[in-house]
Coordinates of all heavy atoms in Angstrom, one line a residue:
P1 N -11.3 -9.3 7.4 CA -10.8 -8.4 6.3 C -12.0 -7.8 5.6 O -13.1 -8.4 5.4 CB -10.2 -9.5 5.3 CG -9.8 -10.6 6.2 CD -10.9 -10.7 7.2
G2 N -11.9 -6.5 5.3 CA -12.9 -5.8 4.5 C -14.0 -5.2 5.4 O -14.9 -4.5 4.8
R3 N -14.0 -5.5 6.6 CA -15.2 -5.1 7.4 C -15.0 -3.7 8.0 O -16.0 -3.0 8.1 CB -15.4 -6.1 8.6 CG -16.5 -5.6 9.6 CD -16.9 -6.8 10.5 NE -17.9 -6.3 11.4 CZ -18.6 -7.1 12.3 NH1 -18.4 -8.4 12.3 NH2 -19.5 -6.6 13.1
Y4 N -13.8 -3.3 8.3 CA -13.6 -2.0 9.0 C -12.9 -0.9 8.1 O -12.1 -1.3 7.2 CB -12.8 -2.3 10.2 CG -13.4 -3.2 11.1 CD1 -13.0 -4.6 11.1 CD2 -14.5 -2.9 12.0 CE1 -13.6 -5.5 12.0 CE2 -15.1 -3.8 12.8 CZ -14.7 -5.1 12.8 OH -15.3 -6.0 13.6
H5 N -13.3 0.3 8.4 CA -12.7 1.5 7.7 C -12.2 2.5 8.7 O -12.9 2.7 9.7 CB -13.8 2.1 6.8 CG -13.3 3.2 5.9 ND1 -12.6 3.0 4.8 CD2 -13.5 4.6 6.1 CE1 -12.3 4.2 4.3 NE2 -12.8 5.2 5.1
L6 N -11.1 3.1 8.3 CA -10.5 4.1 9.2 C -10.6 5.4 8.6 O -10.1 5.7 7.4 CB -9.0 3.7 9.4 CG -8.2 4.5 10.4 CD1 -8.7 4.3 11.8 CD2 -6.7 4.1 10.3
Y7 N -11.3 6.3 9.3 CA -11.3 7.7 8.9 C -10.2 8.5 9.5 O -10.0 8.4 10.7 CB -12.7 8.4 9.3 CG -13.9 7.9 8.5 CD1 -14.9 7.2 9.1 CD2 -14.0 8.2 7.1 CE1 -16.0 6.8 8.4 CE2 -15.1 7.8 6.4 CZ -16.1 7.1 7.1 OH -17.2 6.7 6.4
A8 N -9.3 9.1 8.7 CA -8.1 9.7 9.2 C -8.0 11.2 8.7 O -8.8 11.7 7.9 CB -6.9 8.9 8.8
S9 N -6.9 11.8 9.2 CA -6.6 13.2 8.8 C -5.1 13.3 8.7 O -4.3 12.7 9.5 CB -7.1 14.2 9.8 OG -6.5 15.4 9.6
Y10 N -4.6 14.0 7.7 CA -3.1 14.2 7.5 C -2.6 15.2 8.6 O -1.4 15.2 8.9 CB -2.8 14.8 6.1 CG -2.8 13.8 5.1 CD1 -3.8 13.6 4.2 CD2 -1.7 12.9 4.9 CE1 -3.8 12.6 3.2 CE2 -1.6 12.0 3.9 CZ -2.7 11.8 3.0 OH -2.7 10.9 2.0
T11 N -3.5 16.0 9.2 CA -3.0 17.0 10.2 C -2.9 16.3 11.5 O -2.0 16.8 12.3 CB -4.0 18.1 10.3 OG1 -5.3 17.7 10.8 CG2 -4.2 18.8 8.9
C12 N -3.6 15.3 11.9 CA -3.7 14.8 13.2 C -2.7 13.7 13.5 O -2.7 12.7 12.8 CB -5.1 14.2 13.4 SG -5.3 13.3 15.0
P13 N -1.8 13.9 14.4 CA -0.8 12.9 14.7 C -1.4 11.5 15.2 O -0.8 10.5 14.8 CB 0.1 13.5 15.8 CG -0.8 14.5 16.4 CD -1.6 15.0 15.4
W14 N -2.5 11.6 15.9 CA -3.1 10.3 16.4 C -3.7 9.5 15.2 O -3.6 8.3 15.2 CB -4.2 10.7 17.4 CG -3.6 11.4 18.6 CD1 -3.8 12.7 18.9 CD2 -2.8 10.8 19.7 NE1 -3.2 13.0 20.1 CE2 -2.6 11.9 20.6 CE3 -2.3 9.6 19.9 CZ2 -1.8 11.7 21.7 CZ3 -1.6 9.4 21.1 CH2 -1.3 10.5 22.0
A15 N -4.2 10.2 14.3 CA -4.8 9.6 13.1 C -3.6 9.0 12.2 O -3.7 7.8 11.8 CB -5.6 10.5 12.3
Q16 N -2.6 9.7 12.1 CA -1.4 9.2 11.3 C -0.8 8.0 12.0 O -0.4 7.0 11.3 CB -0.4 10.3 11.1 CG 0.8 9.8 10.2 CD 1.9 10.8 10.0 OE1 2.0 11.8 10.7 NE2 2.6 10.7 8.9
R17 N -0.8 8.0 13.3 CA -0.2 6.9 14.0 C -1.0 5.6 13.7 O -0.4 4.6 13.4 CB -0.3 7.2 15.5 CG 0.1 6.0 16.4 CD -0.2 6.4 17.9 NE 0.0 5.3 18.8 CZ -0.6 5.2 20.0 NH1 -1.5 6.2 20.4 NH2 -0.3 4.2 20.8
A18 N -2.4 5.7 13.7 CA -3.2 4.6 13.3 C -2.9 4.1 11.9 O -2.9 2.9 11.7 CB -4.7 4.9 13.5
V19 N -2.8 5.0 11.0 CA -2.6 4.6 9.6 C -1.2 4.0 9.4 O -1.1 3.0 8.7 CB -2.8 5.8 8.6 CG1 -2.6 5.3 7.2 CG2 -4.2 6.4 8.8
I20 N -0.2 4.5 10.0 CA 1.1 3.9 9.9 C 1.1 2.5 10.5 O 1.7 1.6 9.9 CB 2.2 4.8 10.7 CG1 2.4 6.1 9.9 CG2 3.5 4.1 10.7 CD1 3.3 7.1 10.7
V21 N 0.5 2.3 11.6 CA 0.4 0.9 12.2 C -0.3 0.0 11.2 O 0.2 -1.1 10.9 CB -0.3 1.0 13.5 CG1 -0.7 -0.5 14.0 CG2 0.6 1.6 14.6
R22 N -1.4 0.4 10.6 CA -2.1 -0.4 9.6 C -1.1 -0.7 8.5 O -1.1 -1.9 8.0 CB -3.3 0.4 9.1 CG -4.1 -0.4 8.0 CD -4.9 0.5 7.1 NE -4.1 1.2 6.1 CZ -4.5 1.4 4.8 NH1 -5.7 0.9 4.4 NH2 -3.7 2.0 4.0
D23 N -0.4 0.2 8.0 CA 0.5 0.0 6.8 C 1.7 -0.8 7.2 O 2.0 -1.8 6.4 CB 0.9 1.3 6.2 CG -0.2 2.1 5.5 OD1 -1.4 1.6 5.6 OD2 0.0 3.2 4.9
L24 N 2.3 -0.5 8.3 CA 3.5 -1.3 8.7 C 3.1 -2.8 8.9 O 3.9 -3.7 8.6 CB 4.1 -0.7 10.0 CG 5.0 0.4 9.9 CD1 5.4 0.9 11.2 CD2 6.3 0.1 9.0
A25 N 1.9 -3.0 9.5 CA 1.5 -4.4 9.8 C 1.1 -5.1 8.6 O 0.9 -6.4 8.7 CB 0.3 -4.3 10.8
G26 N 1.0 -4.5 7.4 CA 0.6 -5.2 6.2 C -0.8 -5.3 6.0 O -1.3 -6.3 5.4
L27 N -1.6 -4.4 6.5 CA -3.1 -4.5 6.5 C -3.8 -3.6 5.5 O -5.0 -3.3 5.7 CB -3.6 -4.2 7.9 CG -3.1 -5.1 9.1 CD1 -3.6 -4.7 10.4 CD2 -3.5 -6.6 8.8
R28 N -3.1 -3.1 4.5 CA -3.7 -2.2 3.6 C -4.9 -2.8 2.9 O -5.9 -2.1 2.5 CB -2.7 -1.7 2.5 CG -1.6 -0.8 3.1 CD -0.8 -0.2 2.0 NE 0.2 0.7 2.5 CZ 0.9 1.6 1.7 NH1 0.6 1.7 0.4 NH2 1.7 2.4 2.3
D29 N -4.8 -4.1 2.6 CA -5.9 -4.8 1.9 C -7.0 -5.4 2.9 O -7.9 -6.0 2.5 CB -5.4 -5.9 1.0 CG -4.5 -5.4 -0.1 OD1 -4.8 -4.3 -0.6 OD2 -3.6 -6.1 -0.5
V30 N -6.7 -5.1 4.2 CA -7.6 -5.7 5.2 C -8.5 -4.6 5.9 O -9.7 -4.8 6.1 CB -6.7 -6.4 6.3 CG1 -7.6 -6.9 7.5 CG2 -5.9 -7.5 5.7
V31 N -7.9 -3.5 6.1 CA -8.7 -2.3 6.7 C -8.5 -1.1 5.7 O -7.3 -0.7 5.5 CB -8.1 -1.9 8.1 CG1 -8.9 -0.7 8.6 CG2 -8.2 -3.1 9.1
S32 N -9.6 -0.6 5.2 CA -9.5 0.5 4.3 C -9.3 1.8 5.1 O -9.6 1.9 6.3 CB -10.7 0.6 3.4 OG -11.9 0.6 4.2
V33 N -8.9 2.9 4.3 CA -8.7 4.2 5.0 C -9.1 5.3 4.0 O -9.0 5.1 2.8 CB -7.2 4.4 5.4 CG1 -6.3 4.4 4.2 CG2 -7.1 5.6 6.3
S34 N -9.6 6.4 4.5 CA -9.8 7.6 3.7 C -9.6 8.8 4.6 O -9.5 8.7 5.9 CB -11.2 7.6 3.2 OG -12.2 7.7 4.2
Y35 N -9.4 10.0 4.0 CA -9.0 11.2 4.7 C -10.0 12.3 4.7 O -10.6 12.5 3.6 CB -7.7 11.7 4.2 CG -6.5 10.8 4.5 CD1 -6.1 9.8 3.7 CD2 -5.7 11.1 5.6 CE1 -5.0 9.0 4.0 CE2 -4.6 10.3 6.0 CZ -4.3 9.2 5.2 OH -3.2 8.5 5.5
V36 N -10.2 13.0 5.8 CA -11.0 14.2 5.8 C -10.1 15.3 5.3 O -8.9 15.2 5.3 CB -11.5 14.5 7.2 CG1 -12.5 13.4 7.6 CG2 -10.4 14.6 8.2
D37 N -10.7 16.5 5.0 CA -10.0 17.7 4.6 C -9.2 18.2 5.8 O -9.5 18.0 6.9 CB -11.0 18.7 4.1 CG -10.3 19.9 3.5 OD1 -9.5 19.7 2.6 OD2 -10.6 21.0 3.9
D38 N -8.2 19.0 5.5 CA -7.3 19.6 6.5 C -8.0 20.7 7.3 O -7.7 20.9 8.5 CB -6.1 20.2 5.9 CG -5.2 19.2 5.2 OD1 -5.6 18.0 5.1 OD2 -4.2 19.6 4.6
D39 N -9.0 21.4 6.7 CA -9.6 22.5 7.3 C -10.9 22.2 7.9 O -11.7 21.4 7.4 CB -9.7 23.7 6.3 CG -8.4 24.1 5.7 OD1 -7.4 24.1 6.5 OD2 -8.4 24.5 4.5
R40 N -11.3 22.9 9.0 CA -12.6 22.7 9.6 C -13.2 24.0 10.2 O -12.4 24.8 10.6 CB -12.6 21.6 10.6 CG -11.6 21.8 11.7 CD -11.7 20.6 12.7 NE -10.6 20.7 13.7 CZ -10.5 20.0 14.8 NH1 -11.4 19.1 15.1 NH2 -9.4 20.1 15.6
D41 N -14.4 24.1 10.2 CA -15.1 25.1 10.9 C -16.0 24.5 12.0 O -15.7 23.3 12.4 CB -15.9 26.0 10.0 CG -16.9 25.2 9.1 OD1 -17.3 24.1 9.5 OD2 -17.1 25.6 7.9
A42 N -17.0 25.1 12.5 CA -17.8 24.6 13.6 C -18.5 23.3 13.2 O -18.9 22.5 14.1 CB -18.9 25.6 14.0
R43 N -18.6 22.9 11.9 CA -19.2 21.7 11.5 C -18.3 20.5 11.7 O -18.8 19.3 11.6 CB -19.6 21.8 10.0 CG -20.7 22.8 9.7 CD -20.9 23.0 8.2 NE -19.7 23.5 7.5 CZ -19.5 23.6 6.2 NH1 -20.5 23.2 5.4 NH2 -18.4 24.2 5.7
G44 N -17.0 20.7 12.0 CA -16.1 19.6 12.2 C -15.4 19.2 11.0 O -15.5 19.9 9.9
W45 N -14.8 18.0 11.0 CA -14.1 17.5 9.9 C -15.0 17.2 8.7 O -16.2 16.8 8.9 CB -13.4 16.2 10.3 CG -12.3 16.3 11.3 CD1 -12.3 15.8 12.6 CD2 -11.1 17.0 11.2 NE1 -11.2 16.1 13.2 CE2 -10.4 16.9 12.4 CE3 -10.5 17.7 10.1 CZ2 -9.1 17.4 12.6 CZ3 -9.2 18.3 10.3 CH2 -8.5 18.2 11.6

């Protein structure tokens, strides 16, 4: 618990899949999550 962090995006289905699994499994207080912005240029997320 508390060791891992998930970087996600609201636009990406693969990222949402990971966050939904985290939340459904009851791991909100075990694995933290934050989101990148929806828009990107050559610098990436």
